[in-house]
Structures are given as structure tokens and as C-alpha cells.
Amino acid sequence: MRRLRFVRSVLGVFGLLAVPLVTPPALAQMRGHGGPVRALAVVPGGEIAISGGFDQAVIVWGIANGTALSVLRFHEGAVNAVAPLPDGGFATASEDGRIALWRIGRPEPERTFAEHTGPVAGLAVSPDGLSLASASWDGTARVRPLAGGPARVLAGHAGPVNAVAFLPDGRIATAGYDATLRIWPTEDAPPRVITLPTPLNALAVARDGEIAVAGGDAIVRFLRPDGSERTASEVGPNPVIALALSPDETRLAAATAGGTVAVIDRATGAILRRLVGPGLPVWSVAWRGDELVTGGSDRLVRRWNAMTGEPIGALSLPRPADTLATFHGDRGAEVYRACVACHALRPGDGPRAGPNLAGIIGRRIASEPGYRYSEALKSMDLVWDAAAIARLFEVGPARYTPGTRMPEQTINTAEDREALVRFLEKATALP
């Protein structure tokens, strides 16, 4: 269950038609994020990719030379979704609840939206290019005209909404942690609710209206526009985090928490091939002609030949050091592994979704230099000590620190909470 809670914040990713380019293999992997790459899209034309990370950064990449054209820092939380816009711009969404609209080459967003009261997990652009939909952990999806005007609110999920997509006829599909897929009419009316056996993380909709949906049970289900199941593909054993349709829509890429990407024949549901990386979760995937571009917990944007399943360029690049290796056998370190993607332990480590924990014991809440905290946390009068950390994981972050963007999770036993506190006292002590 802890893994599912961690994975539920993950997003759907959009596969876009692009022209393949020939790139020197040595430049095929793009390194620049300070944390897992959670969101990824390729701009039409195939020359530019946009990624969002746990490190709160958005990076605009030149794919041909594998370099970062710009690094954009606006969001105050992990960047969970990116989406190209028909006018040549792009949208980003974050755990801070905000959506930003950008122009490539400009350092600040042109417009922002802040209607959601929880992290935004997914974005989708309507087929006519006139509307932008967003999915949020506040239990709603919202559809706003890009030209301006009020947003339509789609409320009904019993918990976080992780993904959103438009059907060709203008209806909207949403997928939630409550294990439901909901198909919303174009007018205000109750949605069609399809209950599935697992929390849902990702959606992809084809031009003929077929819906692909997947989540915690590692099964990709292909549903007809009315919500009935046509076929399914088991890609397990690990949860599916992201889905993307190929430009010709004959194939579907399914990225998993186990570090593989399954390329599925859409017509039959058969797995054509598996892309196998360094074993770390793949959080995001997009198409670039017959290439796949992926983002993962190794902090890299990688390119793959989707026809052969082979990586473009070297696969075995240096893997991030295991900061917990020296604590082998320590129960507290094992409990902490659920936190390692979001928090660094040592001074000087790169930014991640959450603040650096070095020196956390005795530190006032929301005081780590250089990290963007919510105003709610800045106003709290709390010092992190053993009792405060244990209480945080006993009752959950949302109750103990209202206004936090930390994923909701608890540690059920007092023994494990105590072990975590003892570990943090050792591992975060400053020299």
C-alpha cells in the first residue's frame, strides 16, 4: 500500500507526432534534473523536449545535441505534468496546485491558474486546441478555455484524480486513486462511472475514442468509448505509472515503477517488446516518431529505438549513489527508502521535490534555505524534533502540517516510527 500511495501522484504523458532526427549516440541521454523526471513531452517537430522534475524545475531540451536550452524555476513543488499547446507554447502543472503557461525562450510564465486546492497531477489539451484540462489531488478535474473565462469543475472522485484526457467528441475522461474511470458529458450532467480493481495512475485516449487506462495492478485495459473493456495487457509485476500512444496509434507505451517500458500492440494487446533500463522507476514517457523518450528516477531523459527496444546511446551511465548503503540492516533506513526520492540527507545534495533534511533535528519548519515552502507552512510554529517527526507519520502530513504538499502517508507502527527517528538523528547530523 505504501508503494501505491507513492505512485498515485504520477502522471499521464502525451505521445506526439514528430520527425525522427539522427543524433550522435554519445548525446542521447540528457542529464540536468536534480531528482526523478516526472513529466515529459516532445514538442511537434521533434527537435525539443520539455521535462518536469521532483526538483521543481522545468527543463527545455534541444534533443539533437542533448543540451538544456533553459531551466525554468517557477513552481514551488514537484512538476507533475507538461503539455505542448497548439500555439507553440506549453503548460506545466505542479504539486503547488498551480498551472503555468509558457513561451519557449522566455524565463517567466505568461499566465498562471491557481484554482485547485491540491497538487495538480495531470494535464490534457482538447482536440480543437481551445481548452486545457487538469486533474488534481483535490478530487476534481477542471476544464478552462485557453482564451480566458471560468473553468468547468468536474467533481465526484472520492480522492485524488491522477489523470485526465479528452475524447474526440469533447467528452472528458478522468482516472482516480478511488479506482474509478469517469467519462464526463460535454454538458453538465453526471458522468459514466466505471469501477476497476485498482487505483488508477494513467490515461491515454486514441482518435477513435478508445481509452487505455492503467494503475496499481500492472494491467493496461483498453476500453471502448462507452467504457466497456475490449482487451487487456498484463505488463507487471510493477504498477504502471505513465501511458503514451504512438503517433500512428498502433502501439502504446506503458512505463512502470519497476524500471521497464512495455510497448504494446494496441489491436491485440500483445507486448511487442520491453525497454529495460537500469532498474529504477520510469515516471514519464513520450513518442518521437519511432523513438521513445523516457524520464526516470535516475534523473535522466533517455532515448530509445521503439522498433527494436534498444537504447540510443549508452545505457549504463553512472547510477546515483545509494545514500543508504552505509546503513545496511538499519530498520530506520529501510523505512526511509519511501522518502529517498523526495529528500536528500547530506548538505550540498541537489534539489528534489522536498527540502534537504541535513540538520533537520532542531530546525524550525519551512526554514531550509533555497527551498520554496507554502505560505501555510511558513506560518507554523514548529521545530522538528523526535516527537514532532514521529507525530507527523502517526497522523499523516495533511493533518499535522496543513498546507503541506507532501504525499499523504503514515507509518502504522510505533516501532517503525521510532526507528525512522533514530535513523534521521544519525543520517542528518551536520559535521
Side-chain angles (χ1 to χ4, degrees), residues 68 90 130 141 172 177-178 194 217 351:
F90 63 95
L130 299 179
I172 297 159
Y177 191 66
D178 60 359
I194 299 97
D217 67 358

Side-chain angles (χ1 to χ4, degrees), residues 142-176:
R142 293 175 183 259
V143 186
R144 60 191 56 76
L146 285 168
R152 178 188 174 194
V153 180
L154 307 178
H157 280 279
V161 185
N162 287 328
V164 61
F166 284 90
L167 275 71
D169 59 7
R171 291 180 299 156
I172 297 159
T174 57

Side-chain angles (χ1 to χ4, degrees), residues 258-279:
T260 64
V261 178
V263 180
I264 304 168
D265 180 84
R266 183 182 153 210
T268 65
I271 296 176
L272 301 174
R273 59 195 58 87
R274 292 182 188 269
L275 284 55
V276 180

Side-chain angles (χ1 to χ4, degrees), residues 54-364:
F54 274 67
D55 57 359
Q56 308 180 18
V58 176
I59 300 181
V60 179
W61 301 94
I63 299 179
N65 56 17
T67 60
L69 304 178
S70 59
V71 179
L72 306 171
R73 294 194 178 275
F74 163 77
H75 289 292
E76 298 178 350
V79 180
N80 288 336
V82 299
L85 300 176
D87 63 0
F90 63 95
T92 61
S94 169
E95 283 188 353
D96 64 10
R98 295 186 294 174
I99 298 165
L101 305 186
W102 304 79
R103 288 282 170 192
I104 291 175
R106 297 184 183 178
E108 298 293 334
E110 286 188 328
R111 282 188 287 162
T112 61
F113 306 101
E115 305 102 327
H116 283 294
T117 59
V120 182
L123 291 173
V125 179
S126 62
D128 60 13
L130 299 179
S131 299
L132 178 70
S134 53
S136 174
W137 283 17
D138 65 10
T140 72
R142 293 175 183 259
V143 186
R144 60 191 56 76
L146 285 168
R152 178 188 174 194
V153 180
L154 307 178
H157 280 279
V161 185
N162 287 328
V164 61
F166 284 90
L167 275 71
D169 59 7
R171 291 180 299 156
I172 297 159
T174 57
Y177 191 66
D178 60 359
T180 68
L181 171 74
R182 295 172 186 244
I183 302 174
W184 304 80
T186 55
E187 303 297 330
D188 288 332
R192 178 177 177 81
V193 180
I194 299 97
T195 300
L196 297 171
T198 184
L200 301 175
N201 294 328
L203 271 178
V205 175
R207 288 185 289 269
D208 63 7
E210 183 167 80
I211 302 167
V213 63
D217 67 358
I219 297 174
V220 178
R221 294 174 171 87
F222 294 88
L223 309 180
R224 299 179 182 90
D226 64 1
S228 61
E229 184 173 313
R230 179 182 64 83
T231 190
S233 179
E234 296 189 16
V235 301
N238 302 106
V240 175
I241 298 175
L243 297 173
L245 280 163
S246 64
D248 63 6
E249 299 194 340
T250 62
R251 293 159 292 170
L252 180 78
T256 75
T260 64
V261 178
V263 180
I264 304 168
D265 180 84
R266 183 182 153 210
T268 65
I271 296 176
L272 301 174
R273 59 195 58 87
R274 292 182 188 269
L275 284 55
V276 180
L280 299 171
V282 181
W283 292 88
S284 48
V285 60
W287 288 82
R288 182 179 183 253
D290 280 326
E291 284 185 17
L292 276 169
V293 186
T294 62
S297 285
D298 57 5
R299 311 181 191 180
L300 297 177
V301 176
R302 295 179 177 270
R303 292 173 55 204
W304 304 79
N305 185 323
M307 304 301 292
T308 66
E310 294 299 318
I312 298 174
L315 176 63
S316 300
L317 295 180
R319 183 171 175 167
D322 183 359
T323 57
L324 303 182
T326 57
F327 297 95
H328 179 70
D330 186 314
R331 176 58 186 165
E334 291 307 309
V335 175
Y336 178 79
R337 280 199 182 276
C339 315
V340 74
C342 295
H343 296 282
L345 294 168
R346 300 174 300 196
D349 281 354
R352 301 185 186 177
N356 193 309
L357 299 185
I360 185 67
I361 304 299
R363 189 168 77 201
R364 187 181 183 278

